[in-house]
Every structure is written in structure tokens, then in C-alpha cells.
Amino acid sequence: MQLKRSKFEINLNPIQRGGILTKEAREALIEFADGYSVCDFCPGRLDLIEKPDIKKFVHEELPEFLGCDLARTTNGAREAMFAVMNSLKVAEKNKSQIVLADGNAHYSSYIAAERAGLDIEIVENSGYPEYKIDVENFEEKIDLNKPVLVLLTYPDGNYGNFPNVKKLSKICKNKGIPLLLNCAYSMGRLEIKLNKLGVDFLIGSGHKSMAASGPIGVLGFNKEWEKIILRKSRYFPNKEIEMLGCSSRGPSIITLIASFPIVRERIKYWNKEVEKARYFSGEMEKLGLKQLGEKPHNHDLMFFEAKPIYEISKKHKKRGYFLYHELKKRGIGGIKPGLTKNFKISTYQLTKEEIDRVVKAFGEIVK
Ligand SMILES: *Cc1c(COP(=O)(O)O)cnc(C)c1O
């Protein structure tokens, strides 16, 4: 079987823009492509390997980057969420079995909770058109449910909204409930520091936002949680149970490390990314589309309601697929074939020229 991928000159798919590999990562990927090749010099646990220097990355660079004491890599953001939830389930047997999450939480947050045998309660968003999370609404629900964990998505993967995490961390501290911040769409794009935000757990996704091939997740927390999250096996006293001994043992961690110097640098230019996103949103609205979610927008992920395009699709012989084909002709991809009414776009790391090319394409299509 020939495995080929059709690529576009400009890819607008939000889940892919932050995971595009750096040149350094692409080279490292080939170097460590063979199975278990990261384990050549393993002293007994993945995060302790010094050749290549995973130890320095996990024990020094990541905690410093995240402003916390400890970090681990997992096989994805969802696995990191599961590790926290499962640890709390085991450690807090006598507490409630509820995770209280924001209404914009990713589906994998629900499934992680289910896998850990926990129930989910939700703090609803404000609905159309901004779908905002008002963190003050957590207070009452915390009193009502006494959750074992509060989960906030920062930002969410639908609208790219940033809820007020600092306010929520104060509420959670007051109530004595740990707070997990899901930064799958932010860690690696902008500065995320655990101690500044006042949360207990930070979750990231290497293939979503850290220029890694993945699948790989990042988990950061402070020492107070070490005994619970990094509890060791009874049978293999060196191995951490939630990591199943060793987690991301392959090219996933190699590409994450290889891209890290560039990722650490690129977060300094986040305000430029926000400017570009706002410019794009404004131009699309001039064409009659409507950006949902927070306005002015604070993230490169944007959800559009595209009534003019939907109207065209009703009369077009290709129906809903016409948008995909019209964009494809112009070298642009990343919107799912068939979608016209609503779709998500990211402008992350596109140049101004590329953004203008996309705007021009939509302008021609709407006309
Ligand atoms: C993409 C995404 C995830 C899942 O990330 P994985 O690393 O693939 O598990 C979780 N939460 C949010 C908000 C996401 O956008």
C-alpha cells in the first residue's frame, strides 16, 4: 500500500496548525524512527534517560517553562487528564465521584472522567453567539456537588474562548478543590505558568500546540501532588503507575524536545498571532460571515457562521462540497469537505500574505 497525503499550500485546520514540525523535529523524527530507539541508554525509566537528554527536558526545561515543580509527558492531553482524574479517584476514595467541568470542555475530558469511573457535572456556557464561560457560576455548583476536581478548558477547541482562570483558581482555593487547566490549545502557543495562574494541574498537547508529531501530552504540577500523581508500583518500585512505567517512548517525545527551543521562543510573539486572528475575523465579517465566540477574539482558533456560503451551497450542483472544491482550487485546505454553514479556521503562524490570500479566496467564493 502506498501511503500518501495530499497537502495544501495553506492549511486552515485548527487542530493541525500548532503541530506542524520544525525542521529540527523532522530530522530528529527520522533519526529516532526505529521502535524503542529512545531506549538505547535507558537507566530504568523514560524520564531518566540522559542520551538523548530526556531527563533534562522533563526535569528541568519543562517545569521551568510551565512555572511549576514537576512535569511528565504522557501519550496525549487526554491521557494526562486521565492520569490526574484516576489518581484523585484512587487517593480520594471517600470524596465525591464528580468532576465539575466548563460547558466548553473537549469530549476527551468526558471520556477521561468516564474511564476513571467519575461523573461529570457541567457549568453551562452563555450560549449563542459568544458561548462564554462565566467562572462565577462554578461557586454554586462546587457547593452543590463537592467535586473531586474542577476542570477548565483554556481555551476550548470550538470557539477559542479564554475564561477567567485566575478568578476560578481563587474560588477553588477557597473551597479546597483542585483545579485542572486544559491547555491543549495554549501550551506552546502562549505563556502558560502554573504558579501565575494559581491552578493545580496543567495539561498540554504536543501535537496540538508544541510542534511535535505526537501523540504526546504534557502534565505539570507542584510537589504537593507528587505522592498522589507519581505514586510508584508495589512490584517495580522505580516505575510510576499512572505513566504505566514509561509513557511517550518514541519519536513523539523526540520531536517535542527537538522543537522545544523554537516553541519556547515563539510564545513571545503570541500578541502578533492574536492581531492576525482579529484582522482575519474582521475581514471575514466584511464578507457577511459571523465570528462566534469571544469578541474581540483572543485566539487564532475561530468559529464562523457562514450564512452567505450556506445559501450558495443550497443552489450549487456540488451542494455542500462546493466550498471545499473552490478552496482546493486556490491551494487552500483544512475545512472539512461538506461543511458550509459553520466551520472553524485557525490563522496560527500564517503570514499576512497567506491570510490575505485566504480572505481573497472567500471574497471570490461569496461573490
Ligand atoms: C485537541 C484537544 C484535546 C485532545 O488532545 P490530545 O493530545 O489529542 O489528547 C483535549 N482538549 C482540548 C481542548 C483539545 O483541543
Side-chain angles (χ1 to χ4, degrees):
M1 186 179 30
Q2 236 202 349
L3 297 172
K4 282 268 176 196
R5 178 176 177 215
S6 40
K7 281 198 206 161
F8 299 93
E9 284 165 51
I10 299 178
N11 180 358
L12 303 174
N13 191 343
I15 66 169
Q16 293 177 340
R17 289 231 49 90
I20 296 172
L21 293 192
T22 58
K23 181 170 70 49
E24 290 78 357
R26 216 169 280 283
E27 282 163 15
L29 174 67
I30 297 296
E31 189 71 16
F32 284 89
D34 292 333
Y36 283 122
S37 51
V38 298
C39 308
D40 284 343
F41 301 99
C42 179
R45 209 173 71 210
L46 178 79
D47 59 287
L48 302 175
I49 296 173
E50 288 183 72
K51 243 175 93 172
D53 210 344
I54 295 175
K55 186 176 177 185
K56 183 169 177 208
F57 177 69
V58 170
H59 291 269
E60 293 173 36
E61 295 180 324
L62 266 186
E64 201 225 314
F65 182 62
L66 301 175
C68 59
D69 301 334
L70 297 161
R72 287 292 183 272
T73 57
T74 62
N75 287 319
R78 65 197 68 192
E79 282 83 356
M81 291 193 275
F82 172 73
V84 171
M85 292 172 183
N86 197 50
S87 297
L88 292 176
K89 162 97 180 179
V90 171
E92 316 276 15
K93 275 195 197 74
N94 305 320
K95 288 220 181 130
S96 92
Q97 305 285 299
I98 292 171
V99 174
L100 181 61
D102 62 278
N104 291 339
H106 192 254
Y107 80 85
S108 62
S109 324
Y110 287 74
I111 294 180
E114 274 188 281
R115 188 188 185 191
L118 299 168
D119 295 323
I120 284 231
E121 281 291 329
I122 292 299
V123 171
E124 300 293 347
N125 64 41
S126 62
Y128 185 92
E130 288 202 291
Y131 300 95
K132 281 193 190 184
I133 300 294
D134 180 353
V135 299
E136 291 196 7
N137 295 335
F138 274 84
E139 194 140 12
E140 202 187 309
K141 289 242 172 173
I142 289 175
D143 291 339
L144 203 67
N145 295 292
K146 301 266 182 302
V148 68
L149 178 72
V150 169
L151 182 154
L152 189 67
T153 318
Y154 190 79
D156 65 283
N158 253 340
Y159 307 105
N161 286 351
F162 281 105
N164 190 338
V165 53
K166 285 188 181 167
K167 199 185 234 180
L168 182 58
S169 63
K170 283 203 191 93
I171 294 173
C172 289
K173 279 232 160 64
N174 259 332
K175 309 268 181 201
I177 310 288
L179 173 58
L180 178 151
L181 197 63
N182 179 357
C183 301
Y185 257 116
S186 52
M187 185 190 295
R189 283 167 135 95
L190 52 134
E191 187 191 88
I192 295 290
K193 298 269 192 206
L194 181 141
N195 286 340
K196 273 195 200 169
L197 299 170
V199 305
D200 293 273
F201 305 105
L202 283 180
I203 305 286
S205 175
H207 43 293
K208 183 69 82 38
S209 299
M210 302 175 86
S213 59
I216 189 161
V218 170
L219 168 61
F221 50 96
N222 279 343
K223 279 207 177 87
E224 57 185 306
W225 292 105
E226 183 172 10
K227 280 212 175 77
I228 289 179
I229 305 292
L230 299 181
R231 65 198 185 284
K232 302 257 179 54
S233 163
R234 200 187 317 159
Y235 308 102
F236 298 89
N238 187 34
K239 304 281 192 185
E240 294 162 353
I241 293 174
E242 286 301 336
M243 301 298 124
L244 291 175
C246 299
S247 59
S248 46
R249 52 207 177 283
S252 57
I253 192 162
I254 291 297
T255 51
L256 184 70
I257 294 174
S259 285
F260 187 65
I262 289 167
V263 166
R264 199 162 44 184
E265 204 45 37
R266 80 183 187 186
I267 65 169
K268 295 179 189 159
Y269 304 98
W270 173 245
N271 62 340
K272 294 266 180 302
E273 296 296 338
V274 175
E275 269 171 34
K276 282 189 284 175
R278 287 180 182 180
Y279 166 75
F280 181 75
S281 166
E283 293 300 306
M284 293 287 270
E285 296 220 324
K286 284 183 200 160
L287 299 174
L289 284 77
K290 185 176 162 76
Q291 182 235 306
L292 306 186
E294 276 171 0
K295 259 196 211 157
H297 209 55
N298 298 307
H299 195 274
D300 56 88
L301 183 156
M302 288 165 275
F303 187 108
F304 288 98
E305 182 182 54
K307 280 190 185 140
I309 295 176
Y310 177 61
E311 289 307 319
I312 298 170
S313 76
K314 286 200 229 161
K315 294 178 204 119
H316 202 283
K317 62 178 187 300
K318 288 198 173 125
R319 291 281 161 174
Y321 291 87
F322 98 96
L323 178 63
Y324 176 79
H325 288 287
E326 287 299 319
L327 289 172
K328 191 176 170 190
K329 267 194 251 171
R330 295 168 175 86
I332 299 166
I335 296 177
K336 274 205 196 90
L339 291 186
T340 54
K341 209 177 196 173
N342 301 295
F343 45 78
K344 293 188 261 184
I345 283 179
S346 164
T347 49
Y348 188 60
Q349 301 231 313
L350 290 179
T351 63
K352 178 78 185 350
E353 290 68 35
E354 287 171 322
I355 291 173
D356 281 331
R357 196 171 138 192
V358 176
V359 171
K360 186 163 165 272
F362 273 100
E364 289 166 9
I365 291 165
V366 169
K367 274 195 198 100

